[in-house]
Amino acid sequence: MMKNKRDSATLAILRYDPVKSTEPHYETYDVKATKDTTVLDALFQILETQDHSLAFRYSCRSAVCGSCAMFINGRYKLACSTLISEIGRDVIIQPLPHMPVIRDLVVDLTTFFEKYKVIKPYVVPINPPPEKEWIQSPKQRSKINDSTDCILCAACYSSCPSVWTGKRYLGPAAILQAYRFAADSRDGILRDRVEVLGSENGLWRCHTIFNCTEACPKSLNPARFIESLKRTATKETLKARIPFLH
Ligand code: SF4
């Protein structure tokens, strides 16, 4: 046990290896922690000096890859940008809730990314293309501001009751990304996008509970983008049914 709590922290980590055990359990570790130590730094300390079997994901260490999203002291956080000195030196860490656990803090994101692919996460250019480059004005670009900051960490997805109860629902991250491309001035398949989003498992399954907005570690507001797409989908559907609205 470390003596001076100002230079140390205690991490209780929910461990689970489905190959070896049937139930998850907590294991506790004492680590050195200065004012600059992040949760990810502490996980590395444990991995390197105490328990080589601890599993967690990380990549950029700069809060831009989304790999290290976890549930830390009851909040969705990125381990790489969470300072232990700011959250208290007794830290409880769980994998993203409501997600299948592969091992320890690593969850299975297969379904999350399958749903992401459904919304065609790329610009499908307007036809015919311009003779030179695509021009996008600052005003046009401002429509997709914020939505381009999503790092696909899956925190919002993990927090969404509509995902928990409707396994095929696209979820807040995929819909936010759909907004990012639907609102892009260079994109030419709004009708197709609206059709996918208007389907049974699309945006109408969102009940505006705002868990996604609270969960997002990048301070985005997926619920706002979903609401905006609901308005667009309604307008496009009306236009298709009542041609003189064009
Ligand atoms: S909207 Fe926020 S919480 Fe959801 S995937 Fe993107 S960055 Fe993560």
Side-chain angles (χ1 to χ4, degrees):
M1 181 72 72
M2 305 218 176
K3 285 182 193 133
N4 187 352
K5 200 70 176 165
R6 273 181 310 169
D7 300 324
S8 67
T10 304
L11 272 60
I13 302 177
L14 192 62
R15 305 288 309 266
Y16 180 47
D17 183 346
V19 177
K20 293 190 183 151
S21 55
T22 50
E23 291 294 327
H25 65 282
Y26 281 98
E27 283 186 25
T28 303
Y29 306 88
D30 291 323
V31 294
K32 288 184 192 151
T34 67
K35 70 177 182 22
D36 299 322
T37 302
T38 65
V39 171
L40 185 62
D41 295 332
L43 291 174
F44 269 108
Q45 266 189 60
I46 296 166
L47 180 72
E48 287 163 5
T49 64
Q50 300 185 45
D51 190 336
H52 301 306
S53 70
L54 179 64
F56 54 93
R57 275 201 188 101
Y58 78 101
S59 182
C60 71
R61 296 182 183 230
S62 310
V64 291
C65 78
S67 305
C68 66
M70 302 171 186
F71 205 55
I72 300 172
N73 283 358
R75 313 287 299 183
Y76 289 89
K77 301 238 178 229
L78 299 174
C80 71
S81 61
T82 302
L83 290 171
I84 287 177
S85 55
E86 287 181 356
I87 60 168
R89 288 172 183 274
D90 289 305
V91 185
I92 300 172
I93 308 177
Q94 298 166 297
L96 289 179
H98 305 282
M99 306 283 279
V101 174
I102 296 174
R103 218 179 84 196
D104 298 336
L105 303 173
V106 178
V107 295
D108 188 349
L109 294 170
T110 309
T111 312
F112 174 75
F113 281 108
E114 276 169 3
K115 291 175 179 178
Y116 173 57
K117 273 197 231 155
V118 167
I119 59 95
K120 293 201 173 118
Y122 40 85
V123 168
V124 180
I126 294 167
N127 223 349
E131 280 180 16
K132 292 186 180 169
E133 74 270 27
W134 289 100
I135 304 287
Q136 190 172 51
S137 69
K139 192 173 172 202
Q140 287 169 327
R141 177 59 177 78
S142 71
K143 286 200 174 151
I144 55 172
N145 283 357
D146 292 355
S147 63
T148 54
D149 291 346
C150 172
I151 56 173
L152 293 169
C153 70
C156 57
Y157 182 83
S158 157
S159 78
C160 175
S162 296
V163 171
W164 309 339
T165 54
K167 295 288 174 206
R168 299 182 63 186
Y169 168 50
L170 289 172
I175 299 178
L176 178 146
Q177 290 285 338
Y179 171 92
R180 182 255 171 272
F181 294 101
D184 193 304
S185 57
R186 300 159 297 180
D187 190 73
I189 60 160
L190 182 59
R191 278 283 162 84
D192 296 353
R193 294 191 188 281
V194 162
E195 203 165 309
V196 172
L197 293 168
S199 71
E200 192 187 345
N201 297 304
L203 44 82
W204 301 107
R205 283 212 178 265
C206 167
H207 300 302
T208 326
I209 293 164
F210 288 106
N211 275 17
C212 54
T213 301
E214 262 191 50
C216 181
K218 298 295 282 187
S219 303
L220 301 179
N221 185 350
R224 175 169 72 83
F225 294 111
I226 296 172
E227 283 308 295
S228 171
L229 274 180
K230 282 180 178 172
R231 284 194 295 276
T232 305
T234 306
K235 256 191 243 164
E236 287 300 311
T237 307
L238 284 174
K239 271 197 223 164
R241 291 191 187 155
I242 313 171
F244 64 78
L245 283 181
H246 274 268

